[in-house]
Structure formats: C-alpha cells, structure tokens
Amino acid sequence: MTGQTQLIGKQGQALAGYLREAPKGDAPGAVVLIHEYWGLNGHTRDVADRLAREGFTVFAVDLYEGRVTKDANEANAMLKALDWGKATADLRAAVEALRARKSGTKVAIMGFCMGGALTLLAAANEPGLDAAVPFYGIPPEEAADVSRIRAPVLGHFATNDDWCSPERVDVLEKKLKSGGVPVELHRYDAQHAFFNDTRPEVYSPDNAAKAWQRTVDFLHAKLG
C-alpha cells in the first residue's frame, strides 16, 4: 500500500486508492478513476495526476487491495477473482465520499479496460453520477443493463480489439441510444489499450492525444 492515500467514506470507512487534488484545491468537479486489470499501477496514478492538473479532484480507487502485476496471466487471474458486487459498492462509496467533501461537487467515473467495464456498470447502478468515460471496456450483459444509465457517456474504443470488438461496441451503442442515454462513442484505428503509454506494443500517441483532449473537454463541460 506504499504511496497510496485513503479517502474516508461517509460511514467513516477507509477507501484505499490514490487521491489527487487540483492545484488550487477548489475543483468544482471530481473523478473516480478505475485501473486496468494490472492493478493500481504507475500508469493509472499518472492519469490521476494529469486529471488533477486539468483542475479536477481525482480518486483512483484500488480494487485489488494493493496488488499490482505486469504478468498478463496473473492479471487475468486477479480479474477473474474480482468480486464485481463489492467493486461496485466500493465505487459507489468513492463517489459518495467525493461528493460529500464539498457541497455541490459533481462527480464523474472513468476507467480503462476492466475499469471501463466497471465504469458502465457503476453508471448503471448510480443514477447520481454526472458523467461516465469508459475506455475500451464493456460489462457482461448479465452484469449491467446499460440502458438504465442516466449520466452522459463518452466512450473510447479501438477497431482492432478482440475483447471490445467493433460488433460489441455497435451493440453497446444501440442499447445506450435505445435507453435514451446521452452518448458519444469514438472508434480509433488502434489496438486495445492504445492509451497506455507504458505499453509500446499497443500505445498509439496520436489516438491517445485525441482521446485525452475529448475526455478533458467533456469532463469540463459536465463537471465545470
């Protein structure tokens, strides 16, 4: 847990993760950030730092309780062992804690890969969210009815992706629109995890820059 900061929930419970404040400490909006299946690693903390510099309070939640790996097999095992119900409850607690820190705070949720799927799952179960930004992640159909989402959604997906395939993205978009969800999905000519600059085998600088600017503009528009 070295280097992590706890956010205190409404019931006084300690929520493990990485808390970053906007430089002036007066951010009108906050973001709950969800890591990939590798765990809360340096890349996710760097994204939190970047969001804070854009003027948001950010809490990168740690759903693996301090476990981090660079091994894909181990990461996949940790993903399979994840209690999605508990993860959803932890995310809700983080949203509530950020909202309670300052009256009037608007809260968004954002995540990558596993975190992207959990972003949509959380948004389907948390009607009070102000925005949701999933990066190349879609929850199982049986886990979440995405048509229940009421927050505006900005999604980023790759066209070369065996997990969030173009066909699955099209189905997701149709479901969101049929439910009246305000949604904007972008497709990028890139591979899964194209935003992760610590993985040169998939990182796409131009597409990552486009996705980042769209995300920052969207969050400022929805959170202030």
Side-chain angles (χ1 to χ4, degrees):
M1 305 294 286
T2 303
Q4 297 182 338
T5 305
Q6 291 180 336
L7 179 68
I8 304 303
K10 289 181 67 176
Q11 307 303 319
Q13 75 275 33
L15 306 175
Y18 180 70
L19 180 65
R20 292 290 291 149
E21 304 280 2
K24 295 182 180 179
D26 58 352
V31 180
V32 173
L33 184 64
I34 316 173
H35 54 76
E36 297 172 289
Y37 77 162
W38 311 108
L40 180 51
N41 56 17
H43 170 65
T44 306
R45 289 194 294 271
D46 179 64
V47 174
D49 293 342
R50 292 174 64 186
L51 285 169
R53 289 196 294 270
E54 292 291 342
F56 305 105
T57 298
V58 188
F59 183 65
V61 65
D62 181 8
L63 299 177
Y64 284 171
E65 300 178 338
R67 291 172 296 167
V68 178
T69 185
K70 293 182 179 180
D71 180 83
N73 289 329
E74 185 179 3
N76 192 53
M78 291 193 293
L79 168 60
K80 288 182 177 179
L82 182 69
D83 182 335
W84 285 58
K86 181 180 183 301
T88 301
D90 289 346
L91 293 171
R92 180 181 296 114
V95 169
E96 291 175 347
L98 287 173
R99 189 179 288 130
R101 296 176 86 225
K102 181 181 178 181
S103 177
T105 297
K106 295 182 178 181
V107 182
I109 193 162
M110 171 177 164
F112 299 85
C113 187
M114 178 192 83
L118 281 164
T119 292
L120 291 171
L121 177 61
N125 290 284
E126 177 54 61
L129 279 171
D130 295 285
V133 185
F135 275 74
Y136 33 79
I138 302 173
E141 289 187 27
E142 65 274 12
D145 179 2
V146 296
S147 67
R148 295 171 52 196
I149 295 174
R150 289 298 167 259
V153 174
L154 174 70
H156 305 288
F157 295 91
T159 57
N160 185 11
D161 191 330
D162 292 334
W163 183 45
C164 295
S165 65
E167 293 77 17
R168 287 191 70 202
V169 175
D170 290 344
V171 170
L172 171 66
E173 184 173 40
K174 184 177 180 180
K175 286 183 178 179
L176 290 168
K177 289 184 174 180
S178 67
V181 181
V183 58
E184 181 180 342
L185 298 187
H186 293 279
R187 282 86 163 169
Y188 301 83
D189 184 14
Q191 298 183 61
H192 184 85
F194 68 85
F195 190 82
N196 192 332
D197 58 5
T198 69
R199 299 184 60 201
E201 71 275 16
V202 294
Y203 177 51
S204 177
D206 290 344
N207 287 309
K210 290 178 184 177
W212 179 253
Q213 192 58 57
R214 285 167 172 162
T215 296
V216 170
D217 292 345
F218 176 76
L219 291 175
H220 279 301
K222 304 306 178 185
L223 305 182

